[in-house]
Amino acid sequence: MSEVVVQTEHLLRRVESGDTMATIVNGIDLTVYEGEFLAITGPSGSGKSSLLYLIGLLDAPTAGDVHICGQATSAMSESERADMRLAKLGFVFQFHFLLPEFTALENVMLPMRTLGKLSMAEMREKGTKLLTALGLGDQVNRKPGQLSGGQRQRVAIARALSNDPAIIIADEPTGALDTIATDQVFKILRDVANSGRTVIVVTHDVKLAAKADRRVNVVDGKISEIVVNEAAKAPAPATN
Amino acid sequence: MTMPPIFFIAWAHVTNRVRQTFIGVIGVATGVGFTIMIAGVMEGSQRQFVGTLVDAMPHITITDEHRSVSLQPAEQIYGAAQRSNFTATEKRAGITNSNLVIGSLRDWLPGAIAPSTKVTGMIMSGNARFGVTVTGIDPRQEERVSKLARQMVAGELYSLGRGSNAVLLGNALAVKIGARVGSSLTITPGTGNPVTVQVMGIYRSGVRAVDETTVYSLLRTAQMMAGQPDLVNELRVSLDQAFRAEEIASKIEGQTGYRAVPWQAANADLLSSFKVQEKITDVIMAAMMLASTFAIYSIISTITNEKRNDIAIMKSLGMKEYFVQAIFIIEAGLIALVGIPVGWLVGYLLCIAMTHIRYENPITEGALAIAIYYSPVHYAVVGLITLGCCLMSAFLPARKASHVHPVDIIRGAS
């Protein structure tokens, strides 16, 4: 059995909505395994992105806990959560969020420089390899403004992978891409999962979600359905 | 282990926003430049004025007065004595044994000392009468205690010895009474009969009050006007270091018992006005600094607003809040580090430009060029204060930026 990399316990998130409190994630228990490609689906406002941000430690739960690679995170300080994000998590968003002043390679090197474990030469070599593997070997010195939407998203994926995180968190990574770029990005994420990393993707695209190992449907802040895709990859056991 | 890429990001921000960075640099440079110019002008004018004052007057004047009235014979015997029916004496006491006093002071005094006799009187030219002070001097000794010899604009200091009752007039007085070298005038001293004097020279000290009222003569001429042949009622001291005058005057008083007035005390009113001037200068300079600070605040606020997406992603990638904050403070520092040297140059050029402006000084005579005091201290202090202001002005927007919640930005951009 694969190792558990993400486990949520009675995860609850309430936010102020005018004079009342709205529950956007309502007691979700979810376990995600090493090397699993998990898609989170659901209608707009269902709480799927909120769940993803809680798993990605970008937001803190009102109650419950998120365990990342066996470590409980609810009692962590913001600084410790930042360290955890830097070392264990990689993010890809609908918007690429590349820093426009920097080249593709410099953007990919940014998390590595923040982590500070490698020399400049090593970071440069690793960044170039990642971009080359994603088909951007000839674009390393281009700035985001000189790249297409698909290329930017691939640079963002390379950046997410740069610190060799255990988990890739992707929020609608193909939401702003055309069909060809969407297929490319999804294939890359699939390959990432096949290489042993866990990929958790929020998507509206049912067709793409069907390519995941497991699809978790969220409605009104709760998991309404879990579908295991036997055809995609040997699935890991799931709980709710 | 390498440093977090904060310098790298800060550098990229300022170098990629050329227009904003340029405006920031100009803001800082303007503040620094004008502050340096104001500091140079204010200190320059003060130093010029004090220099003129110091040149025009003795650094210490020892008079024949005592700080405390000496005890009367009865008071030396009894605890209290009643005194009545005082009659003012016609004669001034003068400095007793002035040569001995001068000799004892010369033993240790870091400078020169010369005797003089002061007599007040009226100078007459035609129907015009003006109050003057006749200062009797010994030209050889006077040369060591004052710059009178160099202040002569007509005739020379030693001309005093070449005529009968020769005098030197200040140019302002000479103009007022229409006197020239060779003119004969009448001076009526307060204690004697009118004396006819001959103008042998005209000097210009630069201080109108001196040039209008002081008439120099030989010691014996002044003593003759006072009606006291050996009278020396003032010793004039010139020090190697004029700013030690207060300390040395106090020592002289302690030794001689005579009142010794340093030039600072003699011009206390004027010098106190400098204090007001200094305060005004400080306020103006603070306003300049504030202008630079606002320029930086505005620029860093704009950058942080524009870079909210970048901040969000940097934080989501695991960059800590204080690193994000440091990025924007470093950006302010970079703008300041470029703006300050530019401001130094602007300040220097403004100072040079100011020296071409001439103004009429009511205290000193004639049109003067604005004096500038060039001091590396001004540049260093203004530079450091500006750097500090810039870093502090960036602190608030940087801190606000570092508190950006990534989820808010990510949701907004999606």
Side-chain angles (χ1 to χ4, degrees), chain A residues 48-125:
Chain A
K48 57 186 187 303
S49 288
S50 300
L51 173 63
L52 192 75
Y53 299 146
L54 289 169
I55 291 171
L57 308 183
L58 292 173
D59 196 10
T62 309
D65 206 343
V66 177
H67 293 257
I68 302 289
C69 300
Q71 275 187 276
T73 60
S74 63
M76 282 181 173
S77 66
E78 181 47 45
S79 175
E80 289 168 327
R81 292 159 68 85
D83 286 338
M84 179 71 90
R85 286 198 297 269
L86 183 60
K88 304 280 186 194
L89 302 165
F91 294 90
V92 182
F93 301 103
Q94 183 176 346
F95 182 68
H96 55 80
F97 284 114
L98 297 175
L99 305 192
E101 294 88 357
F102 302 121
T103 63
L105 179 59
E106 286 167 341
N107 268 286
V108 173
M109 286 168 65
L110 194 65
M112 293 190 264
R113 293 183 74 159
T114 307
L115 191 63
K117 282 188 176 168
L118 301 177
S119 69
M120 279 301 285
E122 288 168 330
M123 286 189 266
R124 197 170 287 281
E125 189 188 341

Side-chain angles (χ1 to χ4, degrees), chain B residues 69-338:
Chain B
V69 178
S70 55
L71 289 174
Q72 295 297 307
E75 287 173 322
Q76 290 173 18
I77 298 168
Y78 303 105
Q82 184 180 359
R83 288 177 275 166
S84 59
N85 300 327
F86 273 99
T87 306
T89 177
E90 285 288 319
K91 294 187 174 181
R92 285 190 67 166
I95 292 170
T96 313
N97 295 322
S98 60
N99 285 334
L100 278 176
V101 173
I102 289 171
S104 69
L105 291 175
R106 272 190 184 139
D107 287 344
W108 61 269
L109 202 66
I113 182 166
S116 66
T117 302
K118 273 196 171 173
V119 183
T120 54
M122 299 293 287
I123 196 163
M124 286 169 277
S125 175
N127 291 328
R129 288 161 182 246
F130 298 99
V132 293
T133 300
V134 178
T135 302
I137 55 170
D138 174 349
R140 282 172 304 168
Q141 295 192 65
E142 184 67 17
E143 208 170 14
R144 293 186 211 126
V145 299
S146 80
K147 296 193 167 58
L148 184 59
R150 277 181 269 159
Q151 291 166 348
M152 297 302 295
V153 290
E156 56 179 31
L157 179 60
Y158 284 94
S159 307
L160 281 177
R162 292 189 197 130
S164 169
N165 294 341
V167 293
L168 308 176
L169 302 184
N171 68 330
L173 180 61
V175 168
K176 216 152 74 169
I177 63 178
R180 291 179 302 198
V181 173
S183 299
S184 283
L185 304 165
T186 301
I187 295 177
T188 307
T191 53
N193 297 318
V195 177
T196 303
V197 297
Q198 193 177 7
V199 179
M200 296 301 286
I202 292 171
Y203 70 90
R204 183 181 183 279
S205 71
V207 179
R208 186 176 286 273
V210 173
D211 294 348
E212 277 189 341
T213 60
T214 303
V215 175
Y216 288 99
S217 71
L218 286 179
L219 262 177
R220 66 168 184 272
T221 309
Q223 286 164 344
M224 183 257 292
M225 287 183 187
Q228 291 177 254
D230 299 319
L231 178 69
V232 170
N233 56 15
E234 197 177 84
L235 300 179
R236 296 144 69 79
V237 176
S238 172
L239 298 173
D240 299 334
Q241 292 170 289
F243 283 85
R244 287 185 65 200
E246 284 175 321
E247 163 209 337
I248 291 168
S250 160
K251 203 170 164 187
I252 291 171
E253 278 193 4
Q255 182 181 325
T256 64
Y258 288 113
R259 190 174 180 204
V261 181
W263 65 269
Q264 294 100 320
N267 298 283
D269 288 350
L270 280 171
L271 294 177
S272 69
S273 73
F274 287 161
K275 296 286 175 197
V276 177
Q277 204 178 43
E278 278 165 16
K279 294 286 172 206
I280 293 168
T281 308
D282 289 347
V283 170
I284 294 170
M285 292 203 294
M288 295 286 181
M289 293 283 127
L290 206 60
S292 313
T293 305
F294 279 127
I296 291 292
Y297 180 86
S298 164
I299 285 152
I300 297 298
S301 293
T302 308
I303 292 178
T304 52
N305 275 331
E306 284 181 3
K307 306 307 287 180
R308 283 170 69 84
N309 281 3
D310 294 5
I311 294 164
I313 196 62
M314 284 188 287
K315 286 187 73 176
S316 71
L317 293 176
M319 192 174 278
K320 291 176 184 172
E321 285 193 356
Y322 54 85
F323 282 141
V324 174
Q325 203 166 322
I327 288 170
F328 297 103
I329 291 174
I330 290 167
E331 286 175 26
L334 289 171
I335 292 171
L337 288 176
V338 177

